[in-house]
Amino acid sequence: MVIAGIVAVVIVVLALALVHLYNAMVRGRNLAEEAWSGIGVQLRRRHDLVPSLVSVVQGYAVHEKDVLSAVSRAREAGMKAEGGSARDVGEAEKGLSLALGKLLAVAEAYPELKANENFLQLQHSLTSLEDDLQMARRYYNGTVRDQNNRIMQFPGNVVAGWFGFRRMEYFELSDESEAAVPEGYSAK
């Protein structure tokens, strides 16, 4: 009778631990998905800002068609990557960051453009968006790290295997030098 009671208690404790681990993994996955949607919002805001920036620069830098078209192509690639994996979106956005950096570097050669109030406001908005995107990326990567820890540590790895939880991808740039703020961005 005592042994049956002990076995029953052990089974109940194991079942509660299983439920707790499962719920923690579901909660972690949901937090990471929510964080990913935050990145998506910032990327959409960034994509919406690019045509205005290109239009203002185009008015002053008519001889820079290659740079302007590169920014437009990079924006298009970023928009097409939406809904893809973190790696695919990261690669597309890395291309857009590089193209925007070149665009802002070109703007340095046009004093009238640098003094244009609309350009300055767009540049400030872009800088603010980049900061917001960086915060969203940090939050997402933190939730992914926590979820991956749950999935990879024992006994979570067993529970994850039973219920099909998989490691999540981080949203990061592939090279440290690319993580630097592109030349031309100002910290206002």
Side-chain angles (χ1 to χ4, degrees):
M1 188 67 116
V2 171
I3 294 176
I6 291 173
V7 169
V9 167
V10 167
I11 290 174
V12 167
V13 167
L14 289 175
L16 289 174
L18 174 72
V19 168
H20 175 73
L21 280 170
Y22 176 81
N23 287 340
M25 288 180 196
V26 168
R27 190 172 32 258
R29 181 181 57 204
N30 290 341
L31 279 172
E33 288 173 357
E34 174 192 9
W36 184 250
S37 75
I39 288 175
V41 167
Q42 299 307 323
L43 293 177
R44 270 182 246 114
R45 288 179 58 207
R46 182 186 197 199
H47 295 158
D48 291 344
L49 182 68
V50 168
S52 299
L53 187 62
V54 167
S55 176
V56 169
V57 172
Q58 194 171 28
Y60 288 89
V62 292
H63 302 295
E64 307 294 344
K65 291 184 187 206
D66 291 342
V67 173
L68 295 171
S69 63
V71 171
S72 296
R73 283 191 309 272
R75 175 184 178 261
E76 188 73 27
M79 292 174 68
K80 285 181 183 175
E82 284 181 23
S85 71
R87 178 176 291 123
D88 293 342
V89 172
E91 289 298 316
E93 291 304 320
K94 178 177 50 174
L96 180 56
S97 291
L98 292 172
L100 285 171
K102 289 177 185 174
L103 177 70
L104 294 174
V106 162
E108 292 295 316
Y110 296 90
E112 304 88 26
L113 175 60
K114 287 181 3 183
N116 180 293
E117 192 65 37
N118 196 19
F119 176 75
L120 292 173
Q121 182 180 6
L122 288 168
Q123 188 177 19
H124 178 70
S125 296
L126 184 60
T127 300
S128 176
L129 269 170
E130 293 296 326
D131 291 342
D132 292 346
L133 182 58
Q134 180 68 8
M135 287 189 314
R137 183 171 43 232
R138 284 183 187 146
Y139 176 67
Y140 170 76
N141 285 340
T143 61
V144 167
R145 179 201 58 232
D146 293 345
Q147 178 69 352
N148 287 344
N149 285 342
R150 273 186 220 94
I151 289 172
M152 296 173 67
Q153 294 173 345
F154 183 81
N157 59 349
V158 175
V159 174
W162 289 343
F163 293 104
F165 289 95
R166 301 281 177 250
R167 286 189 75 219
M168 300 181 81
E169 290 181 346
Y170 290 102
F171 182 61
E172 57 191 351
L173 301 173
S174 14
D175 183 11
E176 280 298 315
S177 66
E178 294 165 352
V181 175
E183 187 178 320
Y185 286 145
S186 64
K188 291 185 178 181

